[in-house]
């Protein structure tokens, strides 16, 4: 198993608080922010993505469902306060249209994205789909066109760029243009 630094300190207490339905008090700092804030969170679930653990829970101060990277928690205390898990809570449904650790708004509409892979990468994407909605739209002798349905976010564009020239976004044009833009910005660094 890979070493996941953010899971070393807080994963076990978070899971314990989830099991006991106890509210946690976290001191949290977002990336790009120098200020920490104290937040009372009802821990509903944990999610792992690309070697990082996240806590999904109801934040009392925001009165909303939030996602917190465990690596950005500076302190965590399990309080004596109790919470009740909502009967309709569906963690799979929450992340169904998302890529990675992003909460999509209820009015976000998933987009059907088509991409082409060639050569050995066809087998790679068949064995390890980019997203759980992935399907094969068309197979050719040395390539295949795949579709996925999701709400694009920054993590998704970072993932697309990770594949470089190994995949081509075919549609929609907005996703194709954003991917091309991200590649062009990276190219400027090396010119």
């Amino acid at each position: 198993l890979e070493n996941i630094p953010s899971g070393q300190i807080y994963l076990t207490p978070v899971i314990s608080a989830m099991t006991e339905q106890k509210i946690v008090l976290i001191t949290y700092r977002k990336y790009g922010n120098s200020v920490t804030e104290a937040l009372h969170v009802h821990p509903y679930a944990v999610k792992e993505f690309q070697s990082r653990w996240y806590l999904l829970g109801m934040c009392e101060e925001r009165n909303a469902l939030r996602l917190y990277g465990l690596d950005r928690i500076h302190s965590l205390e399990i309080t004596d306060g109790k919470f009740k898990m909502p009967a309709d809570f569906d963690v799979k449904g929450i992340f169904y249209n998302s890529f990675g650790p992003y909460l999509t708004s209820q009015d976000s509409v998933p987009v059907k994205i088509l991409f082409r892979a060639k050569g050995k990468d066809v087998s790679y994407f068949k064995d390890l789909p980019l997203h759980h909605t992935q399907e094969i739209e068309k197979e050719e002798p040395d390539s295949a066109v795949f579709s996925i349905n999701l709400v694009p976010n920054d993590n998704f564009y970072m993932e697309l760029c990770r594949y470089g020239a190994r995949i081509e976004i075919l549609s929609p044009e907005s996703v194709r243009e954003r991917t091309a833009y991200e590649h062009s910005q990276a190219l400027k660094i090396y010119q």
Side-chain angles (χ1 to χ4, degrees), residues 99-166:
F99 186 86
Y102 277 82
L103 298 175
T104 56
S105 65
Q106 290 185 344
D107 58 338
S108 296
V109 177
V111 176
K112 182 175 184 177
I113 299 164
L114 297 178
F115 69 94
R116 174 180 285 116
K118 295 180 182 176
K120 66 181 180 182
D121 291 320
V122 172
S123 296
Y124 178 83
F125 284 106
K126 284 181 179 179
D127 290 344
L128 189 62
L130 191 58
H131 191 255
H132 66 88
T133 61
Q134 182 175 301
E135 294 181 3
I136 298 173
E137 294 285 322
K138 180 179 177 185
E139 279 198 81
E140 298 164 345
D142 192 41
S143 69
V145 174
F146 297 91
S147 68
I148 53 177
N149 292 282
L150 54 76
V151 177
N153 57 42
D154 288 342
N155 265 357
F156 175 66
Y157 288 108
M158 287 179 9
E159 184 72 8
L160 294 180
C161 289
R162 182 172 84 93
Y163 293 104
R166 294 171 53 199

Side-chain angles (χ1 to χ4, degrees), residues 38-143:
L39 303 165
H40 293 84
V41 180
H42 303 188
Y44 291 169
V46 292
K47 179 176 179 61
E48 186 272 334
F49 183 75
Q50 295 182 341
S51 298
R52 291 179 191 261
W53 284 101
Y54 296 86
L55 162 62
L56 175 64
M58 178 60 67
C59 175
E60 290 182 355
E61 286 76 11
R62 305 279 188 276
N63 194 30
L65 199 59
R66 293 285 195 253
L67 199 59
Y68 300 100
L70 296 191
D71 55 336
R72 284 166 271 168
I73 294 176
H74 288 261
S75 67
L76 182 142
E77 173 190 341
I78 299 175
T79 71
D80 291 331
K82 300 280 272 181
F83 70 91
K84 184 173 173 142
M85 179 72 77
D88 62 347
F89 180 74
D90 176 15
V91 71
K92 286 183 182 179
I94 289 169
F95 292 108
Y96 189 83
N97 292 320
S98 185
F99 186 86
Y102 277 82
L103 298 175
T104 56
S105 65
Q106 290 185 344
D107 58 338
S108 296
V109 177
V111 176
K112 182 175 184 177
I113 299 164
L114 297 178
F115 69 94
R116 174 180 285 116
K118 295 180 182 176
K120 66 181 180 182
D121 291 320
V122 172
S123 296
Y124 178 83
F125 284 106
K126 284 181 179 179
D127 290 344
L128 189 62
L130 191 58
H131 191 255
H132 66 88
T133 61
Q134 182 175 301
E135 294 181 3
I136 298 173
E137 294 285 322
K138 180 179 177 185
E139 279 198 81
E140 298 164 345
D142 192 41
S143 69

Side-chain angles (χ1 to χ4, degrees), residues 111-115 168-176:
V111 176
K112 182 175 184 177
I113 299 164
L114 297 178
F115 69 94
E168 177 189 5
I169 304 303
L170 303 175
S171 68
E173 191 62 26
S174 60
V175 174
R176 184 176 167 87

